[in-house]
Amino acid sequence: MQARDHFLNTPLDALLAEGDGFPAALARFRQVAREVPAYATLLREQGIDPAAIVTPMDYARLPLLDKTNYIRRFSRDELVMGGDRGRCDFYAVSSGSTGEPTFWPRSAADEYPVAVRFEQVFRDMFQAHERKTLAVVCFAMGTWVGGMFTTFCLRALAEKGYRLMIVTPGNKPDEILRNVERLAPEFEQTVLLGYPPFLKEVIDAGRGRGLDWGRFNLRLVLAGEVFSETWRELVAERAGVENLTHFAASLYGTADAGVLAQETPLSVAIRRFLSKHPNLAQEIFGEARLPTLCQYDPASRYFEVVGDTLAFSGDNGVPLIRYHIADRGGILPYADMLARLAEAGFDPASIGITSPRQQPFVWVFGRANFTVSYFGANIFPETVSLGLEQPEVRSFVTGKFVMEVKEGLVGKPAFALAVELAVGIAASDAIGETVASTVLSILRRLSSEFTNYVPAELQKPAVSLHLQGDPSYFPVGVKHRYSR
């Protein structure tokens, strides 16, 4: 009740913090050290006195947590405040590389801080406090985290007074279009929430039916994928939208902790600027390719960079302190980011962004362990390897492969799989078909997320076969990378 009342009765400006967030992170750490049995055990085993943690440097010496050394080691009761799941009422479910689900106990109190991320998007980017808005949840509805999570947060916004009506067709294109055709004309704007390639498919399918998306003042909330600015431009054009900084907001989130950060009009404008200045992007991000660039509330989610990957701390059903999710990325304070961009001629006021929120920036390229995300479902190298090890395939291939997600700017998106042939084996349609069918069978068997998130007609890998040592995918003498 306290979390609910705080969210409902506090204006967004007052909910959002400035500064580095460390005082909130330190207070959270001390509470978790006192009240979470698993974390207290971990600190005791490592000889760490919670009272000795005072500065950010002290904090950075705390152990990194992950599923292996923490979540799977302790019982679910030991992982929550007070050692009792009774404070929780819901499981958020995610699947790992073997398809073995991870169950994250959560309570309604854990969702209201996440709802603030949605409020920031719906107010700052879509002006949903002023416009009668239809929100169409296009994430899979089931035990998987996306659909239920999103629906709860949207209902919290409606309860707070936003002019919002919600409909939940899930990831069924025909049902989505049926809802849009019947309901959207009654609203000032329509927001589709889902995975980027899936929403593009929905928009294309609507156009194929003769649906004029421009009538509905379409907006998008996206999650689970890194996409290019060319993709944003293409989808906006097909949606009949011209204002790209207020068209689509990507969320950075996990089943572990909900939404961690979100795109803002400012971060979109910066990303679009950097897409035309790859040298500056290289200087800031360490690569010329663009990551997802978001802003975050440092008091809610305290980020750190560990090597070239991210760790975060935050309160949840399972409170997490320095949780290492192996996402490759970085952080930069607001003032530092704007100063570097100003030197290159970037002026947000010149494109109508006059009072941006001065929150720090976080960017993410994706999993550091070669995982790719396809319609929000993680595809792990270990799963594909298992497909290539099946009896009907293994005599034709070396076991090396490269997987990537094709964005689908012209045609449909695809999960592309380049496979190295064994010595003496010539490429053939029959081998390619066998590889695709076998890998698909393994993916469906081991990943409920893949089976339920990815449209059935787009699940089959697009396989290309390559001779051993093909320099485009399998160069000799260098460490092999299993994804692009």
Side-chain angles (χ1 to χ4, degrees):
M1 292 298 295
Q2 289 176 346
R4 174 182 177 273
D5 291 345
H6 180 64
F7 172 76
L8 295 180
N9 298 319
T10 308
L12 178 62
D13 290 349
L15 288 172
L16 299 177
E18 295 182 2
D20 64 7
F22 179 70
L26 183 60
R28 184 185 302 114
F29 158 73
R30 288 179 173 162
Q31 182 184 16
V32 171
R34 284 193 314 269
E35 300 183 27
V36 176
Y39 197 68
T41 298
L42 199 68
L43 294 180
R44 188 167 55 251
E45 289 175 345
Q46 300 199 17
I48 297 173
D49 178 6
I53 306 302
V54 177
T55 68
M57 290 183 62
D58 298 332
Y59 194 89
R61 289 193 289 268
L62 291 171
L64 291 172
L65 308 182
D66 58 31
K67 287 183 180 177
T68 300
N69 72 6
Y70 191 64
I71 303 303
R72 294 180 183 135
R73 178 187 168 190
F74 296 98
S75 72
R76 281 185 279 274
D77 280 322
E78 293 175 292
L79 293 168
V80 303
M81 290 285 190
D84 181 5
R85 271 173 292 170
R87 70 175 295 276
C88 301
D89 56 27
F90 190 82
Y91 284 112
V93 183
S94 63
S95 294
S97 59
T98 64
E100 181 68 26
T102 301
F103 296 93
W104 298 95
R106 297 183 68 83
S107 73
D110 301 313
E111 314 306 11
Y112 287 106
V114 175
V116 178
R117 311 281 76 74
F118 284 86
E119 183 176 9
Q120 192 169 346
V121 168
F122 273 74
R123 189 180 188 94
D124 292 357
M125 190 170 276
F126 303 154
Q127 291 76 52
H129 59 301
E130 299 173 344
R131 298 174 181 168
K132 192 177 179 183
T133 302
L134 174 67
V136 186
V137 180
C138 305
F139 293 107
M141 301 300 294
T143 58
W144 313 280
V145 65
M148 297 298 293
F149 220 67
T150 298
T151 302
F152 181 100
C153 292
L154 293 178
R155 296 198 76 178
L157 291 190
E159 190 179 9
K160 192 168 183 175
Y162 282 75
R163 303 184 66 191
L164 191 63
M165 289 287 288
I166 306 150
V167 65
T168 56
N171 59 344
K172 305 293 187 293
D174 287 343
E175 188 66 18
I176 293 167
L177 293 174
R178 185 179 301 113
N179 280 273
V180 169
E181 289 170 337
R182 294 183 182 181
L183 299 175
E186 303 170 9
F187 294 83
E188 295 174 77
Q189 64 182 352
T190 296
V191 182
L192 304 183
L193 301 98
Y195 298 112
F198 179 72
L199 292 188
K200 177 181 176 292
E201 285 292 298
V202 169
I203 291 170
D204 288 346
R207 283 162 52 88
R209 291 187 182 187
L211 193 65
D212 179 9
W213 289 104
R215 294 171 51 209
F216 306 137
N217 194 16
L218 191 66
R219 301 288 182 262
L220 305 180
V221 174
L222 308 164
E225 308 276 342
V226 178
F227 52 84
S228 67
E229 288 305 310
T230 302
W231 186 95
R232 196 193 305 263
E233 292 166 3
L234 174 66
V235 175
E237 178 184 349
R238 294 183 179 182
V241 174
E242 295 182 358
N243 187 346
L244 291 175
T245 58
H246 287 73
F247 166 56
S250 186
L251 307 177
Y252 172 31
T254 69
D256 321 44
V259 180
L260 305 174
Q262 70 290 317
E263 280 191 322
T264 63
L266 176 60
S267 75
V268 172
I270 290 172
R271 194 172 189 263
R272 293 186 57 71
F273 180 81
L274 291 174
S275 72
K276 299 176 176 60
H277 297 81
N279 290 337
L280 181 57
Q282 174 82 43
E283 291 176 14
I284 293 174
F285 302 132
E287 293 192 26
R289 67 187 178 108
L290 290 179
T292 296
L293 177 65
C294 296
Q295 290 182 271
Y296 68 97
D297 179 351
S300 176
R301 298 292 185 261
Y302 179 73
F303 276 101
E304 300 171 82
V305 177
V306 180
D308 61 355
T309 61
L310 296 169
F312 70 86
S313 302
D315 198 14
N316 309 277
V318 175
L320 298 171
I321 304 296
R322 306 198 76 222
Y323 188 67
H324 189 224
I325 48 177
D327 280 342
R328 187 156 179 256
I331 57 178
L332 197 63
Y334 174 89
D336 293 358
M337 176 70 84
L338 270 292
R340 297 183 73 168
L341 292 165
E343 293 175 358
F346 176 77
D347 177 15
S350 68
I351 54 174
I353 301 175
T354 55
S355 301
R357 298 194 184 276
Q358 298 187 17
Q359 296 175 311
F361 293 88
V362 59
W363 62 87
V364 57
F365 287 104
R367 298 291 179 181
N369 60 357
F370 307 138
T371 301
V372 299
S373 180
Y374 185 43
F375 287 86
N378 288 328
I379 301 177
F380 297 83
E382 296 87 348
T383 309
V384 175
S385 292
L386 184 60
L388 297 180
E389 292 165 0
Q390 299 304 301
E392 58 268 41
V393 174
R394 60 191 178 202
S395 61
F396 303 115
V397 301
T398 66
K400 290 175 65 176
F401 61 91
V402 177
M403 55 183 184
E404 58 187 316
V405 172
K406 300 290 188 180
E407 205 166 48
L409 290 176
V410 179
K412 293 180 179 294
F415 170 49
L417 193 63
V419 178
E420 187 178 59
L421 291 166
V423 175
I425 300 297
S428 70
D429 292 342
I431 294 175
E433 177 62 24
T434 302
V435 169
S437 298
T438 304
V439 171
L440 175 60
S441 176
I442 295 296
L443 284 169
R444 285 175 170 171
R445 177 164 64 87
L446 295 183
S447 176
S448 63
E449 287 180 345
F450 180 91
T451 303
N452 288 279
Y453 284 9
V454 182
E457 68 274 17
L458 299 178
Q459 290 181 2
K460 192 171 186 179
V463 172
S464 60
L465 301 175
H466 301 262
L467 295 176
Q468 204 168 57
D470 182 336
S472 60
Y473 285 99
F474 307 104
V476 177
V478 298
K479 186 177 180 179
H480 183 60
R481 296 182 63 86
Y482 284 90
S483 66
R484 288 183 174 178

